[in-house]
Amino acid sequence: MDGGVAGDGGATQLASGFVFAMDVRGNTVAYATLIENTVYRMNADGTAVQPLFTATTAVGSVAVGPSIYFVQPGSFPGNQAVLWQAGADGGATSVYSDYYGERVASDGTDIYWIDANRTLIGKRTPAGTVTTKTVPIPNALTFEVDATHIYFAANDVSVAQAALYRLAKDFNSDAELVIGSQDVGGQGFYIAHVVTDDTKVYAAIGGAGGATGKILRKNKDGTGTAESVVAFIGMEYGSSVALNNDTLYYTDGMTPQVVAIPKTATNGSGLRVHEGLANGLRSVVSNGYLYFYGSGPTGGVWRLPLP
């Protein structure tokens, strides 16, 4: 491994179930299960688990903002999705339904979502004001928000190529290309997840049919050259990336494992810090822990203490 970083290998399972989506902010963990179609809230240490709402179809995404928000996709292609706001003591209120999407994200204040069918990104303020912006064709896997921008993957459906874009959160400018399809890998590759620090974006790239995946690093504004942090096989079923100071963590659902590597590494090899079910499409660093989830009959939510 390039450098010396590691967790202690002592991941703790906080919840069980066929977990399909998760988010963490402060002392709140929100997650959704696939078979029950239920959204749960719990404290960051796994205590006070509370079911909030059971949907009629699978929940596509959850986000912790001023409240817990989640998306219930339409029951068939082209059917409208519903963005829900969970109540503090259970139940949920529909706050937006004029769109077609699966992903929702929060910066702690506003709520953002993608509408892949109409190539829109939407924003809702706590006061309920909704604005939208037309963007290149988004895809539901990758949708992340940092302090200034929204990062999303776009698929060129005619040639099945993916690229990464960013859009300023004030919606006052057009989307900017950050990582082009030639860096992603061309046909058959996709962007599974991204995370940012002050200057760089880190993108987990997957390939269909067991093709070699990789993690790319590039300047957030799209300038410069995309560099490979690590190249590995096993990204077909998705991965996620998370940052803790100078360490990049990624999950690999095909192996499955959680791996740590210095974020400055080039074509490096990481150190496994957790082995077991970890095929979450999202991992989050919060309160000195790495949170991640796994799906399947033995799935759940885990947290790993960070050094």
Side-chain angles (χ1 to χ4, degrees), residues 237-260:
Y237 300 109
S239 181
S240 68
V241 282
L243 282 171
N244 182 52
N245 298 321
D246 294 329
T247 304
L248 182 72
Y249 293 85
Y250 63 87
T251 59
D252 178 0
M254 199 171 182
T255 305
Q257 59 185 345
V258 180
V259 179

Side-chain angles (χ1 to χ4, degrees), residues 60-141:
S61 180
V62 296
V64 180
S67 300
I68 293 173
Y69 295 83
F70 60 94
V71 175
Q72 182 181 352
S75 57
F76 56 88
N79 194 22
Q80 286 184 329
V82 180
L83 175 62
W84 296 89
Q85 178 179 349
D89 299 316
T93 302
S94 171
V95 294
Y96 194 69
S97 60
D98 184 25
Y99 82 115
Y100 306 85
E102 294 183 357
R103 296 285 290 161
V104 61
S106 175
D107 58 9
T109 302
D110 297 327
I111 300 299
Y112 303 84
W113 63 86
I114 58 172
D115 184 337
N117 189 61
R118 295 185 296 184
T119 65
L120 297 176
I121 287 180
K123 175 173 69 174
R124 185 181 187 272
T125 68
T129 302
V130 172
T131 53
T132 60
K133 179 75 173 181
T134 301
V135 296
I137 305 168
N139 111 14
L141 270 180

Side-chain angles (χ1 to χ4, degrees), residues 208-243:
T212 301
K214 57 190 172 184
I215 296 176
L216 294 179
R217 175 183 59 236
K218 196 176 182 184
N219 293 336
K220 290 168 66 173
D221 62 2
T223 61
T225 302
E227 302 170 314
S228 175
V229 180
V230 58
F232 56 98
I233 295 174
M235 290 283 291
E236 182 176 1
Y237 300 109
S239 181
S240 68
V241 282
L243 282 171

